[in-house]
Amino acid sequence: MKRLRPWLLSLVGFLASFLLFFPILWMFLTAFKREEDAFSFQPILLFTPTLQSIAEAWTRSDYFLHVQNSLIASLGSTALALILAIPAAYAMAFHPGPRTTTLLLWMISTKMMPPVGAVVAVYLIYRSLGWLDNIWGLTLLYAAINLPVVVWTIYAYFREIPAEILEAARVDGAGVKEEILRVLLPVAVPSLASAALLSIILAWNEAFWSLILTSAQAAPLAVYVASFKTAEGLFWAKMSAASLFAVLPVMVMGWVAQRQLVSGLTFGAVK
Amino acid sequence: MALTNVLRRRKPFLAPPTFWLLSPAVVFLVLWTQVPLVLTLYYSFQRFVLVNPDLRGFVGFGNYLSLVTDPAFWVSLERTLVLVLSSLGVTLVFGLALGLLFFQRFPGRAWMRTLAISPFFVMPVVSALIWKNMLMHPVYGLLSWLFRALGLPPVDWLAQYPMLSIVAMVAWQWIPFATLLVLTGLQSLPWDVLEAARIDGANPAQEFRYIVLPHLARTLSVVAMLESIFFLSLFAEIYTATSGGPGLATTTLPYLIFLKAFAEYRIGVAAAGAIFAVILANLVALFLLRFIGRNLRAEAIG
């Protein structure tokens, strides 16, 4: 019994992970089917894989526009969030004042506000600025949405760095800029990477704001894929092929960042 | 020691301009999150219909009144609570079970855990499409095939059990989140206490009931609070899978506000609904923030 236990657990673990992963696997498989095999009365497990559906999805003239929009929105917002977050996290971690905790809590609280609380106003502001269906407008918004997570992740890491490292640099006559750029950032690469990964994943998968603020020109992949909710949704192979690229890259990022994800999304409430 | 003392004392003179380091982030956050919130509050007291922009002006609590006298509002509030509470229950139970499972040592644990948490990284729009079409389609879906194979009558999930279907999709995506948090919480399990209990002859059920579960209480309450906040804002799944229907069966508060604002163009009423949504989320967020704040302060001192 004692020796059997790990293998029994393995079996249970396999069943659980298989059940949870199955819908994703099924979508991946469907992406390599022909349309008539995908939409069949009996599920077809053995089939000759074809790249036909993927080729069809990718050669649609606007597919790469949506890929490009997703890339701009997720990478651009992450870059902006990092630029804003690094000085703020530095100030809070190494030069805390009496109101630092309150400030940090306020930042975190903006992440807890429901998006519907702001949607009407943001929509009207963007409309009057001419930013509707504009990918840069969406990018700025994503940067604001993910800023608290990025600040928190970097701050939590900075706090672990002994202040002596900075003091040594300061004695050598380094200014704030040198302190951050030459001393702090090289040490903080892991935390910057995990903050960036988290922010990219969140921005890439976001759907509420992109559905409301974009249409044809600035629609990221999430909005494009959502268009399959109508009659086009019956083309399962094409739908899966279009979803493949929308899912796979961020899923791999998620696998890499699974540990940092907990800290970033719970703001240190679970340890 | 003496040197660090000197440095500490000189710190104020060397202190960088904290204000200039913090203000870009703060100003940016205020502009994109607080200003819209204040504007929403303002709109909620305005007569404001997008198709008739001339008819604007202060209406006091008029929008709130028209909202609370609309039966759809109360339905949506009830639907929201059903969605949040059922998704919460399912994800907590399965997240706890899976967390405990993947905490054990067994061959293949690492990659099995990685596969099991994958649904969390799938964009909600895609999840909804997979479930709606490939799994729950009344004729061609896998579940319908499974039911036929078992000799059961096929079910049109989204038509017959719309809320249950949405809960299934949401739970599928969020069980991994709960699992990850439970796994993190288990890392600090007090091994000495567990060891002592074993020596005293406690069985696994007693260990779980009296040591593991109390230890996880904190983690589970954080999961519950965080998930409540996220679930109160669920939108993509409903937009993609059911569009709030059939009827109002899956019209939650966020979706109702979306309809009021972008289908009926009644900005004032939508804003009033949004204020309700903010209050609802804040009821949970206040507890969570207090929790996070206590941790932050404890660490700032210790």
Side-chain angles (χ1 to χ4, degrees), chain A residues 5-7 9-10 13-14 16-17 20-24 26-27 30 39-43 80 84 87-88 90-92 95 101 103-107 109-110 112-118 120-127 140-141 143-144 147 152 159 167 176 204-205 207-208 211-212 222 225-226 229 233 236 239-240 243 246-247 251 254-255 258-259 261-262 265-271, chain B residues 7 11 14 16 18 21-22 24-26 28-30 32-34 36-37 39-40 43 48 50 98 101 104 106-107 112-126 129-130 132-135 137 139-140 142 145 148 172 177 180-181 184-185 188 218-219 222 226 229 233 235-236 239-240 243 254 257-258 261-262 267 270 274 277-278 281 285 288-289 292-293 295-297 299:
Chain A
R5 199 180 118 98
W7 296 103
L9 284 171
S10 251
F14 177 77
S17 55
L20 278 165
F21 192 71
F22 181 77
I24 304 173
W26 192 242
M27 184 200 81
T30 308
F39 200 63
S40 82
F41 200 57
Q42 296 281 337
L80 179 57
L84 291 170
Y90 163 83
M92 291 197 282
H95 305 281
T101 312
L103 185 66
L104 191 57
L105 277 177
W106 167 74
M107 287 189 173
S109 77
T110 64
M112 295 177 185
M113 190 179 81
V116 283
V120 173
V122 169
Y123 177 84
L124 290 174
I125 295 171
Y126 270 38
R127 199 176 69 141
L140 286 173
L141 186 74
L147 190 57
W152 162 258
R159 218 177 33 187
E167 278 165 15
V176 176
W204 184 277
N205 287 348
F208 177 75
L211 281 168
I212 287 167
V225 174
K229 81 172 195 159
W236 290 2
M239 179 188 83
S240 303
S243 305
V247 168
M251 198 162 74
W255 290 343
Q258 43 181 298
R259 296 211 174 273
L261 195 115
V262 173
L265 288 180
T266 59
F267 303 103
V270 170
K271 274 192 298 264
Chain B
L7 283 173
K11 212 172 189 174
L14 295 165
T18 331
L21 293 167
L22 280 169
V26 172
F28 190 69
L29 262 186
V30 168
W32 257 268
T33 64
Q34 312 294 284
L37 188 61
L39 265 177
T40 304
Y43 291 144
F48 191 178
L50 265 189
L98 284 177
L101 172 67
Q104 315 295 318
F106 54 83
M112 286 179 198
R113 189 195 58 211
T114 299
L115 284 188
I117 60 161
S118 301
F120 189 60
F121 307 118
V122 176
M123 60 168 67
V125 173
V126 171
L129 283 177
I130 297 178
K132 176 194 178 186
N133 292 320
M134 283 143 69
L135 302 181
H137 191 281
V139 180
Y140 296 98
L142 270 182
W145 167 78
R148 275 200 310 274
W172 177 67
F177 179 73
L180 273 176
L181 264 60
T184 311
S188 56
R218 212 180 107 110
T219 306
V222 172
L226 273 169
I229 291 172
S233 295
F235 179 81
Y239 173 88
T240 314
S243 305
I257 296 166
F258 165 77
F262 302 108
I267 297 298
V278 171
L288 187 54
L289 282 170
I292 296 170
N295 275 354
L296 275 176
R297 292 205 174 85
E299 269 161 32

Side-chain angles (χ1 to χ4, degrees), chain A residues 154-268:
Chain A
I154 300 175
Y155 165 80
Y157 191 85
F158 277 3
R159 218 177 33 187
E160 306 292 316
I161 297 175
E164 282 75 19
I165 297 180
L166 295 184
E167 278 165 15
R170 220 171 292 155
V171 172
D172 292 343
V176 176
K177 216 175 100 193
E178 285 82 19
E179 254 182 59
I180 296 181
L181 288 179
R182 298 237 183 87
V183 185
L184 212 47
L185 291 194
V187 195
V189 168
S191 84
L192 299 179
S194 58
L197 277 183
L198 196 51
S199 160
I200 292 172
I201 295 173
L202 292 173
W204 184 277
N205 287 348
E206 202 285 327
F208 177 75
W209 290 104
S210 53
L211 281 168
I212 287 167
L213 296 179
T214 70
S215 44
Q217 275 311 303
L221 276 174
V223 174
Y224 169 64
V225 174
S227 70
F228 280 93
K229 81 172 195 159
T230 53
E232 247 196 301
L234 293 177
F235 296 100
W236 290 2
K238 219 196 307 164
M239 179 188 83
S240 303
S243 305
L244 189 68
F245 189 67
V247 168
L248 203 54
V250 264
M251 198 162 74
V252 174
M253 286 187 200
W255 290 343
V256 174
Q258 43 181 298
R259 296 211 174 273
Q260 293 83 351
L261 195 115
V262 173
S263 154
L265 288 180
T266 59
F267 303 103

Side-chain angles (χ1 to χ4, degrees), chain A residues 121-137:
Chain A
V122 169
Y123 177 84
L124 290 174
I125 295 171
Y126 270 38
R127 199 176 69 141
S128 56
L129 290 171
W131 284 7
L132 288 180
D133 203 18
N134 176 328
I135 192 60
W136 297 104

Side-chain angles (χ1 to χ4, degrees), chain A residues 32-43:
Chain A
F32 293 96
K33 288 178 182 172
R34 286 173 306 146
E35 212 59 76
E36 53 269 38
D37 288 342
F39 200 63
S40 82
F41 200 57
Q42 296 281 337

